[in-house]
Structures are given as C-alpha cells and as structure tokens.
Amino acid sequence: MGLLILFIIAGLLLLICSVLAIVHAAISPARDGMGRALAHDLPTSPGDLGCTFESWTCRTRDGLDLPAWDVQGVTGGPTLLWLHDHGGSRLSDLRDLQDWLSWCGRVILVDLRGHGDAPGTCMLGARETGDVDRLLECIGNEEVILGGRGFGAVLALDASSRSTKSLPVWGIAPYQSVRARFDEEMRGRGIPGWPLRVLAMTVLRLTGRRPLEPCNDVQADRVRIADVDEPIPASPWWDASVSGDESSS
C-alpha cells in the first residue's frame, strides 16, 4: 500500500510539473532575438536590408514600452502594422519586409509583450488587444492596414473587428481555435493533449490570461487569410481593380 501511495504522489507531482511547464512555455516563450539571427546569418534589423528606419517605443496602458521599427517605404502608400506570431519577434518576418515596402508608405514591426526585446510576459491576448489599440493610436490618423502571422494574425483580425474604421487585414495562418493551437503545439513537443491541455488552460484563465479566440466578425472583402506559402501581395488586395494573381514573392 505504501508503494502505491508513493506512485500516486509521484504521478501527481509529474502532472503538476507538466502543467506548469506548459503554462510557462505559453506565457514566457523562448525569446526570438539577435542571438538566433546571428547564429543563422539572418538580418538583425531593417538596416541590414538597406532600409531606412527609425526606432521608437509605444507605452501600453499598463506601462510597458514595446519596441518598434518604423521602416520607410514609398510615398503615399498605406502604413502596415505587422504583428508577429507567438514565440516570434519583429525579427521573424524581416524576410518579407522589402515586398511590403514596394507599395506601403511605412511598415511598422513591433515586439509584442513577452517577446523579443519587449518587457513583461505574454498574456495570450488578454492584454495584447489593448496593446494593438495603443499602437494604432501611436501611428496616428493615417491609412492603416494590419498584418500578422499566427497569433499576430488573430490579433489583427480582432482589432479590425472592433475598429470604427475600415482596417484591411492580411492574416497568415491564424489558428482556428485556442484548443487547436494548444493541441498542435503539444503534439509538436510530444506531449499528450488530455488532460494537460485542459488543466493548463484552466490555470491560464485563473491567472487572468484567457487565450484570445479567433474573430470571424470582419469585412470579408478587406480581409485575406493567407497560407504560409502564399506570396506577399504586390498591391492592395481589397482593390477590385487588382486581379488576384498580381502578387510577388
């Protein structure tokens, strides 16, 4: 009987440690920073691509300063606010920067809270939605389009659905649901989904980090959900005069 009790205690401890590890990975993902870029011979700033840019920070409503790169594009083009995926950073999508700059007036790349060089921990959308609102305020009264990948695409769709303005969105592979995203991440790490996913999501909700579900209440004619391999558009995709095959990689 004593041995059985020890096995039960060990199992419970293993379960608790596994849940806490999942929660930690969700709110404190590995930082995608300059070290990784240098190790893989990737650009470490827009300047490495020959682009003219400025650096500034946007203060969130709870006092965090999110670092941003403001990259100069063509005269008269719209401003693109780009939001990276969970576990990414403003470095992650530099490979697409020059394609956007061919027709955008500005491209703003930002580190979301708990990512890259930004302070804090990831709130899984609970506060990032307000952070995106603050970024839009920092940009000012300009023609703005939103773009993002994965988690960033979900944030972009959410911001567009809540905005009183018409905000076009280019969303690359937004997750279909929080459950699907968790299951995908856990399968990739070889972790069983049940009951760990349920327990981890419960802990996240209890700590005020309710993951953001994708929003479908957006103007379909101004929103494009793209696959990961789809080329970056060569012009505004919501312009009826532009054919669907006019894009560049």
Side-chain angles (χ1 to χ4, degrees), residues 31-45:
R31 299 271 177 161
D32 179 26
M34 188 174 296
R36 185 191 69 85
L38 291 172
H40 293 84
D41 196 25
L42 298 173
T44 59
S45 77

Side-chain angles (χ1 to χ4, degrees), residues 82-86 93 95-96 147-153 171-174 228:
W82 185 264
L83 306 169
H84 60 76
D85 197 359
H86 181 270
D93 295 293
R95 61 184 179 276
D96 297 328
R149 184 184 301 272
F151 177 53
I172 300 177
V228 292

Side-chain angles (χ1 to χ4, degrees), residues 8-220:
I8 292 174
I9 293 174
L12 289 174
L13 288 175
L14 179 61
L15 181 65
I16 292 171
C17 290
S18 298
V19 170
L20 292 179
I22 294 169
V23 170
H24 182 268
I27 67 176
S28 299
R31 299 271 177 161
D32 179 26
M34 188 174 296
R36 185 191 69 85
L38 291 172
H40 293 84
D41 196 25
L42 298 173
T44 59
S45 77
D48 290 347
L49 300 173
C51 301
T52 301
F53 74 102
E54 296 179 353
S55 297
W56 46 265
T57 60
C58 176
R59 177 153 295 185
T60 66
R61 290 166 181 163
D62 57 346
L64 299 181
D65 289 325
L66 305 182
W69 286 326
D70 193 334
V71 191
Q72 181 180 337
V74 298
T75 302
T79 295
L80 169 68
L81 173 59
W82 185 264
L83 306 169
H84 60 76
D85 197 359
H86 181 270
S89 73
R90 54 185 170 166
L91 289 169
S92 303
D93 295 293
L94 280 176
R95 61 184 179 276
D96 297 328
L97 180 59
Q98 291 174 319
D99 291 327
W100 288 113
L101 291 175
S102 67
W103 61 278
C104 290
R106 298 164 64 193
V107 174
I108 297 173
L109 305 163
V110 63
D111 282 341
L112 297 172
R113 62 172 65 217
H115 292 79
D117 296 322
T121 57
C122 179
M123 296 296 291
L124 303 176
R127 291 190 178 177
E128 283 84 352
T129 54
D131 297 346
V132 175
D133 292 343
R134 281 289 298 126
L135 285 161
L136 291 172
E137 291 173 8
C138 289
I139 292 171
N141 189 24
E142 300 182 12
E143 181 186 3
V144 177
I145 58 178
L146 297 172
R149 184 184 301 272
F151 177 53
V154 172
L155 287 172
L157 290 166
D158 174 80
S160 179
S161 71
R162 294 184 293 102
S163 177
T164 57
K165 300 179 181 179
S166 181
L167 293 177
V169 176
W170 182 270
I172 300 177
Y175 52 81
Q176 299 301 308
S177 68
V178 170
R179 175 177 178 174
R181 178 63 185 260
F182 263 76
D183 286 345
E184 178 185 354
E185 291 286 340
M186 293 174 72
R187 279 196 304 270
R189 298 170 184 262
I191 302 173
W194 192 91
L196 298 180
R197 172 180 50 78
V198 176
L199 293 173
M201 291 181 66
T202 299
V203 172
L204 289 169
R205 291 189 177 99
L206 290 175
T207 57
R209 290 178 168 88
R210 186 180 185 88
L212 179 66
E213 290 285 357
C215 177
N216 298 316
D217 186 19
V218 290
Q219 298 183 46

